[in-house]
Amino acid sequence: MTLFTNALAISILLSVPLIASATSPRIASITPTGAQRGTELELRFNGSRLDDAQEIVFYEPGIQVLKMDSAKTNVVKAQIKIAAACPLGEHHLRIRTASGVSELRTFQIGTFPVIKEVEPNNAITNAQAVAANTAVSGSIASEDVDYFAISAKKGQRISAEVEGIRLGLAAFDSFMSIQDPKGTVIASSDDTSLLLQDSLLSIIAPEDGIYTVLLRDIAYGGNGEFLYRLHLGDFPRPTAVYPAGGKAGETVSVKFLGDPKGEFSQEIKLPDAPLEKFGAYVEQNGTIAPSPNWMRVSLFPNVLETAENHDREHATPAEAPPPFALNGIISTKRETDWFRFKAKKGQALDVAVYARRLRSPIDSVIEIFDSAGKSLASNDDATGADSYLKFTAPTSGDYFVRIKDQLGGGGPDYVYRIEVSPVASTLSLNIPQVARNDSQTRQYIVVPQGNRFASMIGVKRKDISGDVAVSIDGLPSGITMHADTLAAKLDAMPVVFEASADAPIGGKLLDVSAKVLDATNSPQSRFKHVVEMVPGPNNNYYYNTTVDKLYVAVTEAAPFKIRIVEPKVPLVQNGVMDLKIVAERSAGFDEPITVKMMWNPPGVGSLPDVTIAKAQTSTNYTLNATAEAQIRTNKIAVLGTATVKGGPVWASSQLATLEVAAPYLLGKIDPVSASPGETAKLICKLEQKQPFEGKAKVKLLGLPDKVTAPEIEITKNSKEALFNVQIDPKVPVGSHRALFCLVEIKKDAETISQNIAPYSVLRIVPPKKLRIASANDAKVAAK
Amino acid sequence: MKRWSTQQLASRVRTGAGEVSSLSPRERAGERGKGPCEHSDASCLSGLVVRWINLLAITTLISFFTHQTKAANTSPDRSAPIEVKIFPPDVNLSSKQDKQTLIVQAIYADGATRDVTSEATFDLKDKSLVRFDKATLSPLTDGKTELAVKFGGRTLSVPIVVDHSTVERPISFKLDVMPVFMKAGCNAGACHGSSRGKDGFRLSLFGYDPDGDYHRLTRESIGRRVNVAIPEESLVIQKALGAVPHTGGERFTTNSPLYATLLRWLQAGAPKDETNVPKVVALEIMPTQAVLEGQGASQKLTVRARYSDGGDRDVTTLAVFSSNNELSAKVTDGGVITAGQRGEAFIMARFDTFNVGAQVIVVPKNLPYKWPEEIAEYNYVDTLIYAKLKKLRIVPSELCDDATFIRRACLDITGTLPTAKQVQTFLDESSAGKRDQLIDELLNRKDFADFWVMKWAELLQIRSRNDQFSSKSALQYYNWLEDRLSHNVAIDKIVQELLTASGSTFKNPAANYYQVQTDTLKTAENTAQVFMGMRIQCAQCHNHPFDRWTMNDYYSFAAFFPQIGRKPGEDPRETVIFDKGDGEVKHPVSGKAMPPKFLGGEAPDVKDQSRREVLAKWLASAENPYFAKNLGNIVWAHFMGRGIIDPVDDVRISNPPCNPELLDALGVKFTEYKYNFKKLVRDICTSRTYQLSSRANDTNALDDRNFSRATIRRLRAEVLLDCISQVTETKDKFQGLPRGARAVQIADGNASTYFLTTFGRATRETVCSCEVKTEPNLSQALHLLNGTTVSDKINEGGVVKAMLKAGKNRDEIIEDLYLRCFGRKPTDKEHEKLSGFFKEGRKDDQVLTDLFWSLLNSKEFIFNH
């Protein structure tokens, strides 16, 4: 990358507009994008509002910050030390400042020394020479092609692997090719099953000499954000591991497949706890592959396919009853693999394929057959390309599961794993996205000292129902969490965090857990934050990463607090309520505060947000309830945001109670016709549902211009409300179909507003005495 | 201030007058008369004014010689025909009302024909069997006999079979009444055939739904349209006679056979047909060719329909006749053609769902014409082209010179200009076979493949569309195509790969065929248009009015495509295409699932098979009568500037080939060559016809469709830009391609530049061949003159400066510039005129740069001639 493009790159990075309601501090880029473990280096964070940076929060262990320098608002420099035993691969991090928390970013840890790409290297003639087993940190400018030269002896393995899309920075869709010493292209790579859009080459050198690797964007695209780490050397690069998983805590003997030197076996010690994806880094002769092959860690044993299991007759038997994991490879085109297992009558089983999510090329289709060969259930895609089905055995006996590739594909690395286990319930927790295509905003808890912060917590229940309690253990000192239980019918609720005025500024990564209250055996719960790193077309994304901890921090006091004046009266079905929101402003702070309902209880509606105007201290937030609104007591909260020192700061209200109740009365108005200049008598027949104290005001609304009806009063005994509707002589004729009555009942000095008699009709017709019959009328009549 | 106006340019191209180079003297004078300051563009002020004045003068130098061919005089002999034909050649009369009209046509040695029905003598062997009156036969008794026809010393015999001569065929709604609506025009689109009907009454357009029509006539408004008690009073009759107010006026009179038929049906109680009414299975028009001499010459036609029960019927009175060139040949309702001006016409007869046509050539009477014996036939192309030209009394132009040939062949085959050196070598070469050798060399260049990759990319609509079709998909699709064509994979294999493609659009880019277009019906339409040249869209809603395709044909063809499954691939831009194994196309009128049937072919067995595979096997094979011919025509049109059927993707009965024999021959050869289209291109390019001069002679000045001279064609946008870049030695950058890539290599149709858009590059939004535009417009002229492309590229390339630096003298540089732009050396006259510009004290590089600029702006550069 040239100096000019470097400067350009930076300016592009800085000019990226802030995402809607951006986090307070922001990281635009991290340089370098990765490092070798066991080294010390300076990390440079470019971004904005970083001047009060206090901490770099690493989600994974192994990286120690020795020194931090945040003199400038847009740059933080940190001297870091990476432990020799630091876990390899993607590390997640955030920056915490005194006033806020940044979005989540990633940083790569590898085993190879890192060098910088040196331009010009745009032609085979000026290819940058690279020593074996090096990571080149580079970038692709527009139309840029980068060449690297590596020397190899005949028979030696040459492997090249790009980390581009996996850096999570840009939609860099790499293309790579390798030329032999004579200049002939001997291999090329675009997308790979293992590494998504990232390219991968691994060949055996046919002769001694200098080999040249070309790297570019597939469509000659590029800009300053197309950064990459190119790993070049003689490292092993298998494309699959078999079996792709095993029992937690065990050491599994696996075969690594797809390496140009042929398959080889190794022992892999699996983690002690189940894992969706475990990265197995293959090592040969002291060289470790730059990225892992993926394995699944479960709680049950493996069943490996037998050689001839391509029809029902030769199905591989699973001797023990479920749970177990069936493992195999669809090694040739149009191959089908069969397994046999025993199930008891009525036994419900989850049959889940783990293949594509472990980066296998197979697009699985599974089908269950009974012992007579009758098909009972089948599935193609459920979790991406991976199949899943829930199967209940109709009788006790033998069953068969068949797997194949949907397109009849097959190959040596078409590895699959089918987990057959009794249906297990789970609870998945998350913070629902606050805006479309925004997986970063407020995906953490940030509570100003002496203030409150609110977040929604979502719970997805699989194969279980009931009320759920959410808890977070080990909250930073001074923080209290306020949450209701999540009712069985709901899948998200507001949670308010409150920090005492003296809560120390700092943060913690915490586990969020949930429990089903009435269940004897509450299922496992898991919190997940999926960060969509590189957006793609159609609201999709090219690359995402997942963390399972919630970051909770206490920040400096905010210059405002808000609270809900808790209503003493309910919001009734078909009713309206003005919820009063009060702000307490610090002296000198008079910025407008935008207030947003965290959620609307079922059947309740509200504006997306309202504003407490500049220097004002309160506003009304109008809520309305439909006729079908659920009658229940809800916990609500509002979140206020204001711009402080150039960035948004949030503070929420307390968790307030909002009761949705049945209406006091119903009404019905029969259609009325009247002429301009007349006074129409409009009767609203009332059906009293529950008694109320004193008198209620009834207003007739939805009347056309110059038509008036005086407000009247009713009591709990009134059977009807009579309106004398004055119609001005100048009112044009026409039909008005949107009349309704607003009933206002006073209770505890507050007003319960309710609409009755919706869509009532008033027809304004021409005066009869002025009407002159015309020839046209006669025609109409005759028809 | 302008160099040439677009109107002038347009008229040049249209008349094809062979004047490629520059303005006529009068035009030049006019141009000079206008001062440069008349131009409103501010950019023309300052230094450019001087430059333009010079350029004008320079351009006038660029000229061609004119040349004319003289034809010798001969007078035709009409005393003895070389052949006499009788139509129809056999007669079957199978009911009491049956009739058959006969036509006798004489054919002469020079190709001329005459309708000699009235002059011939007829001799009936057994007069008790049939009545013969005014060349029409009607039955008397059952039996077999013969009719002897004599003319010009020749005797022909027509076998006659009479059957059921006393049986009156019952009136049928479908067989008798429906044709009345067609003939009288009742069910035309502007009348009751409109989708909403007309004045409250609707008939199916061109009768695609007879059952519906029967319902609407008799049941929709009971008691209104038909009156079986007093049939003559039926509204349907009253309206047609114009007896009551009728927007359509009088359609026929009471003595018309149409009236008689309608009345007979009503008198019979307006019966509904039984279910087993025979269907029309074929329609014949006779004769299919006529060469008429002199204005007023006439030829009668006879039209015979064949039915599914094996019977036939003379339907001349029921067929709807039309001519595509009334100036040359008019046709009456009764099927009599009358010759008009010299020219060619196609007479179409429509009956039921069938359309058939006859080709008519009109030549002046006693035209002095002799075919020059020295004109050689290089291959079958010439043989067939000459045969047609002889009929038309046209003599082809002379061969073009070597300089023109190398430029033409390079542009047509590779889309590039020959270099100065290549031109020089070619001109110096003296061997007889050097043109053929050049063609072989050009065909083996990668540029040839690139050119056809672009053309196929247009047909396959390789173009990114926001979130639906990514630029990566477009690139991969293009690369796949390039791989196939550059490896000379036979076209039938490529087409089969496309049609049967399954899997990920990233891993198998051919599968993008089903991603570019995801609608079932449109996929069928595009398939028909691209690979068979047929536009079947009309038949989606009604039977095709000018072709043979019915709604049944349309939906049966579409039935090959409803089982295509699509699901998202791993990459958000990727789609996986697969066969679902279920899904049907339903006929909108009957609501029935249509069985798949080849367009113009049989209904294959598709049980337990991928329908696409069944289709692909037939479509790209010799069994499909349209595939090879269509591709042959596309190739022909590229090299000759016009298709044998034109436009190439509008194959229909009413748009007939101008030389059907040649089209057939190209199809046969292409099949023989196993769809290796390099061989076909070689046949075309090595023909004498391809190598003709663009200059017209006395006989072919008006001919623009029989390939009697080369067509002057503006270079298409991509080629023009590539040529400008080539001669100025500059590089272009297109989105998604590395710098230096040529415009013909643009993978993604969505990537374009101002230049390419202005010059009518295909947007690849449709499969239509009309997307590529070579019509001139003002923007193009202004862009070449004032725009950045030409001027900037001259400066950027620095060709003139480099040559000066290399020590070349003026004349050498002038010669180089002429050779690189025009593929020829400047004439002495041009040299002489140019030398004048150097005397005015201007610097050499300035004058030479201006010369370069004017060469690039000349018509000789912009056109392939």
Side-chain angles (χ1 to χ4, degrees), chain A residues 142-143 171 173-174 190-193 196-197 216 218-221 356 359-361 363-364 380-381 385 406-407 414 536-542, chain B residues 466-472 475-476 479 502-504 506-507 567-574 576-579 733-740:
Chain A
S142 179
E143 290 176 43
D173 189 350
S174 62
D190 176 12
D191 298 350
T192 52
S193 288
L196 306 165
Q197 280 78 13
R216 63 167 168 87
I218 182 78
Y220 294 93
R356 185 61 67 82
R359 310 306 327 144
S360 167
D363 178 357
S364 62
D380 174 8
D381 296 345
Q406 201 230 351
L407 296 160
Y414 276 54
N538 298 325
N539 302 328
N540 238 312
Y541 48 82
Y542 290 115
Chain B
N466 295 336
D467 289 349
Q468 292 160 30
F469 193 71
S470 69
S471 52
K472 176 164 175 169
L475 188 71
Q476 290 186 325
N479 288 343
S502 283
S504 147
F506 275 15
K507 289 183 186 128
K567 67 176 192 178
E570 179 137 40
D571 188 298
R573 298 164 293 180
E574 182 185 7
V576 176
I577 306 290
F578 59 98
D579 283 306
K733 163 67 187 161
F734 304 106
Q735 189 193 320
L737 294 176
R739 180 168 293 278

Side-chain angles (χ1 to χ4, degrees), chain B residues 192-455:
Chain B
H192 300 289
S194 157
S195 61
R196 291 177 176 189
K198 200 80 171 176
D199 297 343
F201 175 47
R202 196 191 135 217
L203 286 168
S204 61
L205 186 61
F206 303 117
Y208 67 80
D209 179 19
D211 293 330
D213 289 344
Y214 180 83
H215 170 83
R216 282 182 283 269
L217 268 172
T218 61
R219 299 283 185 275
E220 189 176 67
S221 184
I222 289 178
R224 179 170 170 84
R225 289 168 188 155
V226 294
N227 182 347
V228 289
I230 320 169
E232 295 84 351
E233 297 282 295
S234 294
L235 191 60
V236 62
I237 287 212
Q238 294 288 306
K239 285 272 187 183
L241 292 173
V244 292
H246 182 213
T247 312
E250 184 192 277
R251 303 314 302 167
F252 48 72
T253 58
T254 46
N255 50 23
S256 152
L258 303 181
Y259 172 79
T261 304
L262 205 51
L263 192 61
R264 216 176 122 222
W265 176 65
L266 290 162
Q267 282 165 343
K272 192 174 183 177
D273 283 353
E274 311 235 325
T275 48
N276 57 353
V277 177
K279 285 189 178 121
V280 181
V281 290
L283 191 68
E284 297 167 275
I285 189 167
M286 290 167 283
T288 54
Q289 278 198 339
V291 179
L292 303 179
E293 270 192 315
Q295 207 159 358
S298 74
Q299 173 69 56
K300 193 173 170 7
L301 296 169
T302 184
V303 181
R304 184 162 72 165
R306 289 192 182 279
Y307 289 84
S308 54
D309 60 355
D312 62 30
R313 229 173 120 192
D314 182 349
V315 293
T316 315
T317 53
L318 290 172
V320 181
F321 292 98
S322 59
S323 165
N324 71 350
N325 180 4
E326 297 241 321
L327 279 178
S328 290
K330 274 187 186 163
V331 62
T332 65
D333 268 358
V336 180
I337 304 166
T338 313
Q341 288 178 15
R342 179 177 188 171
E344 241 185 307
F346 183 76
I347 308 296
M348 194 172 77
R350 186 164 81 227
F351 179 75
D352 198 77
T353 62
F354 288 82
N355 287 281
V356 286
Q359 186 189 37
V360 179
I361 291 170
V362 177
V363 291
K365 204 162 189 170
N366 301 325
L367 181 74
Y369 174 77
K370 186 174 186 301
W371 181 263
E373 289 310 319
E374 69 275 13
I375 295 179
E377 286 175 7
Y378 289 3
N379 61 18
Y380 66 92
V381 171
D382 296 331
T383 313
L384 297 168
I385 288 283
Y386 295 169
K388 174 79 185 286
L389 293 182
K390 284 172 189 168
K391 279 185 198 165
L392 291 164
R393 314 286 186 260
I394 286 175
V395 174
S397 294
E398 77 286 359
L399 275 183
C400 65
D401 59 28
D402 279 347
T404 305
F405 178 76
I406 184 172
R407 188 174 191 271
R408 183 189 295 172
C410 284
L411 284 171
D412 280 343
I413 299 177
T414 66
T416 60
L417 284 169
T419 63
K421 200 178 158 201
Q422 281 167 340
V423 175
Q424 195 58 59
T425 316
F426 187 70
L427 296 182
D428 294 344
E429 168 75 41
S430 59
S431 73
K434 70 174 181 177
R435 290 192 179 192
D436 290 4
Q437 204 183 330
L438 175 73
I439 286 162
D440 286 336
E441 277 166 27
L442 294 175
L443 284 174
N444 285 327
R445 280 189 16 204
K446 185 175 176 296
D447 302 329
F448 171 72
D450 283 347
F451 209 139
W452 285 92
V453 174
M454 173 181 69
K455 293 196 77 129

Side-chain angles (χ1 to χ4, degrees), chain A residues 679-692:
Chain A
T679 299
K681 289 209 181 302
L682 197 140
I683 300 163
C684 179
K685 287 177 195 149
L686 301 174
E687 188 188 336
Q688 301 275 359
K689 287 290 188 182
Q690 47 174 312
F692 54 89

Side-chain angles (χ1 to χ4, degrees), chain A residues 109-145:
Chain A
I109 301 293
T111 57
F112 298 157
V114 181
I115 62 163
K116 280 186 183 165
E117 176 214 354
V118 181
E119 290 274 4
N121 60 349
N122 297 333
I124 195 155
T125 47
N126 59 13
Q128 181 180 349
V130 176
N133 299 328
T134 305
V136 185
S137 181
S139 77
I140 295 286
S142 179
E143 290 176 43
D144 199 5
V145 289

Side-chain angles (χ1 to χ4, degrees), chain A residues 200 252 274 293 403 437 543 619 647 741 766:
Chain A
L200 139 69
V252 193
N293 295 95
I403 182 165
N437 300 330
Y543 183 70
T619 190
C741 296

Side-chain angles (χ1 to χ4, degrees), chain B residues 39-208:
Chain B
H39 198 284
S40 60
D41 195 321
S43 68
C44 78
L45 301 173
S46 75
L48 275 176
V49 174
V50 182
R51 175 170 171 173
W52 275 343
I53 295 171
N54 276 313
L55 293 170
L56 273 178
I58 293 170
T59 327
T60 57
L61 296 175
I62 303 155
S63 62
F64 276 95
F65 295 101
T66 54
H67 175 84
Q68 289 197 334
T69 309
K70 293 256 190 283
N73 285 357
T74 49
S75 55
D77 174 20
R78 292 288 171 264
S79 60
I82 56 159
E83 194 184 354
V84 174
K85 283 185 178 170
I86 180 138
F87 302 106
D90 57 276
V91 176
N92 298 296
L93 300 170
S94 52
S95 73
K96 196 176 170 186
Q97 311 98 306
D98 212 351
K99 276 181 186 157
Q100 180 65 58
T101 317
L102 295 174
I103 287 162
V104 189
Q105 189 188 34
I107 300 162
Y108 297 93
D110 60 356
T113 65
R114 268 192 335 121
D115 186 341
V116 293
T117 315
S118 57
E119 298 165 41
T121 51
F122 298 90
D123 188 10
L124 201 55
K125 205 171 179 183
D126 184 349
K127 289 184 180 153
S128 68
L129 284 180
V130 280
R131 188 186 306 121
F132 183 80
D133 184 27
K134 290 178 187 165
T136 304
L137 295 160
S138 42
L140 293 171
T141 335
D142 288 4
K144 287 182 183 177
T145 182
E146 274 179 14
L147 176 73
V149 183
K150 283 184 195 159
F151 180 78
R154 290 166 190 265
T155 306
L156 290 160
S157 169
V158 181
I160 298 167
V161 179
V162 184
D163 207 3
H164 304 102
S165 58
T166 54
V167 180
E168 205 159 316
R169 188 170 60 79
I171 187 88
S172 153
F173 181 72
K174 286 179 187 168
L175 297 181
D176 301 307
V177 178
M178 286 301 291
V180 169
F181 295 140
M182 177 93 100
K183 179 80 179 178
C186 310
N187 60 16
C191 301
H192 300 289
S194 157
S195 61
R196 291 177 176 189
K198 200 80 171 176
D199 297 343
F201 175 47
R202 196 191 135 217
L203 286 168
S204 61
L205 186 61
F206 303 117
Y208 67 80

